Amino acid sequence: MDTIIRYLGHAGFIVIHRHTTILVDPWFFPAFLKSWFPYPDNRFLLDAVYGLKADYLYVSHLHQDHFDRRLLERLDKSIKILAPNYRSRSLARKFRGLGFENLIPLDHKQSIEVAPGLTATMYLDTSHKEDSGLLLETDGFRFLDLNDCNTRISELPTDIDVLAAQYSGAMWYPNCYDYPPDVMLQKVEAVRRDLMDTLVRKARITKARYYIPSAGPACFLDPVLMHYNDRDRTIFPIWENVSDEFAVACPEVEALRLQPGDRLLFDKPEQEPVHELSADRRVSEDLDDYSRRRKDDWGEFYREAERPIAPEELEAYFARLQRRNKHFLADFSKDVRLVAGSNAWRVQLGQLAEHFVIEGEEPYDPEYSFFMSPRVLRQIIDGREGWEEALLSMRVVLKREPDIFDSRFMGLLRYGNEPVQTLQMLRETYNTETIERDGLRMQRFCPHAGEDLTYAIVCDGVIECPRHHWKWNLWTGECIDGGTLPLRVEVIDPNLLRQSRHD
Ligand code: FES
């Protein structure tokens, strides 16, 4: 075997098998409008990564805590890149834009022998989301790095020796929303439960022997964002907050708690790995001190002078977004309020509002409101950052009325720059393949992001998707929790039908 896994922090690894080295998701510099930082600080490993003569680089997806542009600019451009072959080709485009030429595009479940006796297999999230995991396999040893990727549960590989996967949140919901504290706490608890449930499923289905907690949480070092480091009241727990829960749910899986710089040495199959602690090991951080050390980094967000946004700029931005996504916007309309500093605009989206109006502040009831500084909105309008990045930065506060996730609206904002992704969202909604189970005939793939509902939980008149835990009424298909998209479902078991009449 002779395999070494060195942890770089967050979702980063260096995997060495004999004479072959693979660098995975190295992240060191702040992400998402200078708001996210690796936790604990891993900067002491930066020189080692710059000096590494890696044969391959694998970056799982374009989120900036994985695709670290500032770091990638400094890497040797001749490195071979194991590149997830996404529909939008945006990852490949970005790599080429940085000067990398040696891309090896890999489709879902496509394998490549990267060195004698070492195979890499790509696992994509085949939904409209573009994310991936990588299976590295040597003689008798299988390391599956799922980072924060949600490959369909039915397609995950099994007999995994070491699984690396996310346990902590990496989303703006619910902490960016304007909920009262008691509601916020309930929502945070629900998301944390879902995160653990997803992890437990992954560990069980892959039959992992060992689990490496990874891919989060990040920390926030800009003083205005520091409250998001609260490990009890946010969806960003550290492993010690949730490890007992995991141990109860998966007693057969041993969690290997690594810190940046630590190494795992695998010698022979069935043998316990040797865990070498890094001499520079940081188990936790004094966040005030860390924030002072990185003041120049997060301070960059404030360096550029604020420039006012003209209504014409907003109008042009949303008109372009709508034009690019016409296929996605039939019968769609949405009333949105944007507030940036002391300015507020009403944006009416949808084909019915082709000549939509942007006005000054006046009373009306928008379904979604966005509050942010003009700096954030400026970066979006100028195309330097997308809504996905702005929302992940936690520099936007959201309010929605009613309190229901609108996947089409959020899809337009998050993926509208890559219309191939919004097109895929439509395909997922209208996919016609069905399955029969529990006396029901229902669509096989979740209308939200295509999870295989063969693995759905069906209980007490409710169908629950195992991925993001949307719930539907079993009798009507109405979405009762999570989003707005209905599920096509029909009760076919005569006993169930009789029971419903009886009820
Ligand atoms: S895939 Fe998101 S709820 Fe089903």
Side-chain angles (χ1 to χ4, degrees), residues 446 448-451 465 467-470 472:
C446 176
H448 172 223
E451 182 53 78
C465 174
R467 191 180 318 181
H468 304 103
H469 304 274
W470 284 24
W472 295 268

